[in-house]
Amino acid sequence: MDRTEAQLKRRLNEDQELNYPDFEQMWGRMEQAGYASSKGGSRAGANSPVRHRNWRKITVAASFSVVLMAVPVYAAVQYDWGDLLNHRSGVQAAISQNLGQQLGQTITKDGVTLTLHTALSDENRTVILYSLDVGGDKGNGIWDVNGMSLKDAKGNGNDMESSYQQWDEKTKRYNGYFETDWSPAQETVKVSLSATGIQSYSQQEVDLKLDTDSPERQSFPVNRDGLESFGVQPFKEGNERLMLSTDTIFSDPEARRLASPQIMAYRDGQLVKKSQGSVMGKPGDNGEYTSLEYYKPADVPKDETTYKLSYTKLERNIDGPWTFDFELSKKQMAGATMKTALNLPLEAGDSLNMIEQMVVTPTQIRVAVRSNTEPFPDLPYVNYTLEVNGQQLDGGLWYTGSEDRKLMTLRFERPVNLEITKDTPMTLVGKYKVTVHEDDKAPLELKNISGEKQTLIRQTGGYPVQWTYYMQGADLYVETKSDDPNFGGVNQTYIGKGKDRLISSIVTTKFRGDGNNHSINKYKDFKGKEASIYMFYYTTNAPDKETRVQLQGQ
């Protein structure tokens, strides 16, 4: 696979392979709690697969379309999906049991054909398998189906929660699937599956004369494809890590929705691998698109490394709607579905996190946990597995954006040939505990604030925490870190109290359980030489802590 396709594939629809925090939910948390100001804020929380973006359709002339309808039937679907479903073993399991509902519906527009092959619907989710024929040659870009939604005649349903597709070199077309956590309340229902459009993209690059030794923000004019300018501010942590904080200003709202700008580093003509996952899309102080990207300084020596701005450009749009009408059924799944009501603490003595229900279907196992933790609902463990009769299933926490924000769902794909009955032993295992603390309310007094870095050591929760503060331009920066890895980190800070308090914006974003407790907070246009600084909360890590909860069986 060439680099361009790899980058686009990752951004557009490789949901199941990269886990990032659900930043949309985290930013909303601060606003709900009354902590947010116009300067913004975030809380790095549990990992969650990144959702497929919903691209806004771009209006073009209406195209002639041909729709071939077929009556849904149940049959073993003789179609080679390759390794498309490697991360959806539950879907593979259902297909192997002839539980797939064959659709066989096709729409062709402007020489591009979208075919729905198979639907699978149970109590946990609905998955649609499809192929996309773009004329036998994908060229140098990548195609994608955008704005998918599945709804019944009454409007019940949902946008597709995630999607994934890959190029099949043998058939010269894309294979893919759409997935939503919505499924009909009754066994059969007439539904419409609609897409706003089918689009192709290319990857563009712009040279950057970036000096990573300078701590100053560096701005680069772009003035093309809807991008006005691109800013980069380097932060170095000795020889351990180089963090590049970027911000993009757009002249075209459509470009803002699809560009996903980021930095690419090249050494000897070869792309340098980032040292950890990037954090992309957090709103800046003035609505800019920002990102955080990380490299090991040894991998990007100054005299041997060149940098480029890389972004996605829309090349072609075949406007929709692309609409398929069919009867969706979960009859065959219903007989193999088990629902178990539970009332179990996530760990001994924990009254705030209660396991409410487990739903086992032919494709997936879901465990619902209600969290009443403050200040925000969240589960205390980072990693979750499910032991089923001695077999370990890897899974994790998935934020769905439902109205019930306190109800968390742990999802586990069901492997092929795994038999489960009401007597099968099943144990939920949580590892690596992260605890939120709000007990440190005393202010830290910053004196003689200037462009010179000054450092204070303060005990927080029994851990020595290093606070470094300095002015850079008109902005005050406050960094916190500890040499003890069991200290999880200081979250957002603020200066003063009451309605006039000044809330920082968070430059860095931490992943729970990643071992990094370094935080950088910024106070834009700070005036003064002294400040009393407070923290909202801090976290501590217990990597070896484990909880085991027997869900059923002995």
Side-chain angles (χ1 to χ4, degrees):
M1 179 184 297
D2 60 37
R3 182 178 58 82
T4 298
E5 179 175 348
Q7 293 167 2
L8 283 165
K9 174 171 173 285
R10 183 187 69 243
R11 291 184 193 165
L12 295 177
N13 45 34
E14 196 169 17
D15 301 311
Q16 77 283 4
E17 295 186 15
L18 294 177
N19 286 330
Y20 294 115
D22 187 334
F23 294 107
E24 178 182 353
Q25 180 171 4
M26 295 188 307
W27 301 327
R29 286 172 169 177
M30 298 304 294
E31 294 174 355
Q32 287 188 2
Y35 292 164
S37 71
S38 60
K39 298 186 180 297
S42 68
R43 173 177 181 243
N47 291 349
S48 170
V50 178
R51 293 184 184 180
H52 187 299
R53 68 174 68 244
N54 290 321
W55 305 99
R56 174 177 287 188
K57 65 181 179 181
I58 298 176
T59 304
V60 296
S63 304
F64 175 77
S65 64
V66 178
V67 182
L68 302 178
M69 307 297 290
V71 178
V73 296
Y74 294 99
V77 182
Q78 302 301 319
Y79 192 89
D80 183 9
W81 295 105
D83 60 358
L84 175 73
L85 301 175
N86 280 358
H87 297 272
R88 290 294 185 270
S89 59
V91 177
Q92 286 181 316
I95 290 177
S96 69
Q97 299 172 64
N98 296 333
L99 297 180
Q101 176 184 346
Q102 187 172 343
L103 299 178
Q105 294 195 24
T106 297
I107 296 178
T108 298
K109 291 186 180 185
D110 289 358
V112 172
T113 299
L114 175 62
T115 301
L116 304 188
H117 292 271
T118 308
L120 299 105
S121 187
D122 58 28
E123 291 298 320
N124 282 335
R125 60 179 171 180
T126 299
V127 177
I128 309 292
L129 295 165
Y130 71 92
S131 64
L132 181 65
D133 189 337
V134 298
D137 184 7
K138 64 182 174 62
N140 294 322
I142 190 170
W143 288 78
D144 197 38
V145 184
N146 299 304
M148 295 298 302
S149 65
L150 181 69
K151 295 186 178 181
D152 63 18
K154 296 180 180 180
N156 299 316
N158 208 345
D159 292 339
M160 284 301 174
E161 188 176 62
S162 63
S163 70
Y164 178 67
Q165 70 179 30
Q166 60 181 202
W167 178 254
D168 185 347
E169 188 61 32
K170 289 191 302 182
T171 61
K172 298 293 183 182
R173 62 188 176 194
Y174 290 99
N175 292 328
Y177 64 78
F178 308 115
E179 179 177 349
T180 175
D181 63 355
W182 179 81
S183 66
Q186 59 269 45
E187 287 189 341
T188 60
V189 64
K190 291 183 179 180
V191 298
S192 290
L193 179 71
S194 296
T196 58
I198 294 179
Q199 300 170 335
S200 67
Y201 307 88
S202 65
Q203 199 72 8
Q204 304 291 316
E205 290 188 333
V206 177
D207 292 334
L208 300 175
K209 294 183 178 180
L210 177 63
D211 181 5
T212 56
D213 286 342
S214 171
E216 300 293 332
R217 179 185 179 276
Q218 300 159 57
S219 183
F220 305 93
V222 181
N223 297 320
R224 57 186 257 191
D225 301 326
L227 282 73
E228 183 176 312
S229 63
F230 185 68
V232 185
Q233 186 170 5
F235 293 87
K236 272 192 174 180
E237 296 180 39
N239 297 321
E240 300 175 4
R241 188 166 68 159
L242 169 65
M243 183 182 78
L244 301 176
S245 175
T246 77
D247 59 87
T248 308
I249 297 175
F250 294 89
S251 58
D252 181 359
E254 294 298 334
R256 192 186 198 287
R257 291 179 176 86
L258 64 89
S260 298
Q262 63 176 303
I263 289 177
M264 295 295 177
Y266 292 91
R267 185 178 179 186
D268 298 327
Q270 299 297 313
L271 186 65
V272 180
K273 184 179 180 181
K274 293 180 172 66
S275 61
Q276 66 183 74
S278 299
V279 179
M280 303 179 69
K282 177 184 173 183
D285 293 338
N286 300 304
E288 308 95 325
Y289 179 101
T290 73
S291 68
L292 299 175
E293 304 178 53
Y294 303 89
Y295 290 96
K296 291 182 179 178
D299 293 341
V300 287
K302 181 176 180 180
D303 296 334
E304 302 175 26
T305 307
T306 59
Y307 295 91
K308 295 179 184 291
L309 161 65
S310 177
Y311 64 91
T312 304
K313 177 185 177 182
L314 177 67
E315 294 290 350
R316 185 182 175 192
N317 180 76
I318 304 176
D319 201 18
W322 298 65
T323 301
F324 300 87
D325 297 316
F326 56 92
E327 186 174 80
L328 182 65
S329 175
K330 56 182 184 182
K331 284 183 178 180
Q332 290 191 327
M333 298 282 202
T337 296
M338 296 187 301
K339 289 185 178 181
T340 304
L342 301 167
N343 185 28
L344 302 171
L346 186 59
E347 60 183 339
D350 184 358
S351 61
L352 297 177
N353 300 289
M354 301 295 293
I355 303 173
E356 287 191 352
Q357 180 180 247
M358 178 175 64
V359 180
V360 180
T361 72
T363 71
Q364 197 178 64
I365 303 168
R366 294 193 182 186
V367 179
V369 186
R370 182 166 298 280
S371 173
N372 290 302
T373 57
E374 295 295 342
F376 312 105
D378 216 346
L379 300 187
Y381 288 88
V382 176
N383 304 314
Y384 294 90
T385 57
L386 190 65
E387 293 181 0
V388 183
N389 202 22
Q391 185 171 347
Q392 180 175 295
L393 310 185
D394 293 324
L397 180 62
W398 191 291
Y399 291 109
T400 63
S402 66
E403 294 182 2
D404 191 349
R405 301 180 71 87
K406 293 186 176 182
L407 192 64
M408 312 289 183
T409 302
L410 299 170
R411 302 183 180 184
F412 304 89
E413 286 293 310
R414 182 167 176 169
V416 177
N417 299 325
L418 176 63
E419 295 186 6
I420 300 177
T421 69
K422 288 189 177 295
D423 298 322
T424 302
M426 301 179 68
T427 301
L428 178 67
V429 182
K431 296 183 179 181
Y432 200 123
K433 187 174 183 179
V434 176
T435 304
V436 176
H437 304 270
E438 296 184 90
D439 56 327
D440 193 333
K441 298 299 183 182
L444 179 70
E445 302 297 334
L446 307 185
K447 304 288 187 180
N448 302 317
I449 298 172
S450 68
E452 180 182 352
K453 289 189 176 182
Q454 301 179 68
T455 298
L456 300 172
I457 302 295
R458 170 173 166 170
Q459 292 291 317
T460 299
Y463 299 95
V465 179
Q466 177 178 301
W467 293 71
T468 301
Y469 60 98
Y470 54 93
M471 292 292 295
Q472 190 163 290
D475 305 329
L476 170 63
Y477 286 83
V478 178
E479 301 187 28
T480 58
K481 67 177 181 179
S482 175
D483 292 333
D484 194 324
N486 290 322
F487 183 76
V490 173
N491 188 255
Q492 198 168 19
T493 61
Y494 59 96
I495 292 175
K497 286 191 172 184
K499 63 179 182 179
D500 295 326
R501 68 180 178 179
L502 181 63
I503 300 178
S504 68
S505 61
I506 301 178
V507 177
T508 53
T509 301
K510 297 189 296 296
F511 295 75
R512 291 202 314 164
D514 67 357
N516 172 39
N517 59 33
H518 181 214
S519 295
I520 303 176
N521 283 204
K522 180 176 76 172
Y523 294 88
K524 189 174 178 62
D525 298 325
F526 178 79
K527 303 292 192 300
K529 297 294 183 181
E530 297 183 353
S532 297
I533 189 167
Y534 299 81
M535 70 178 79
F536 284 113
Y537 61 86
Y538 66 93
T539 62
T540 55
N541 298 330
D544 298 327
K545 182 72 173 178
E546 176 181 288
T547 183
R548 300 179 64 86
V549 185
Q550 191 81 26
L551 303 181
Q552 70 173 34
Q554 297 297 324

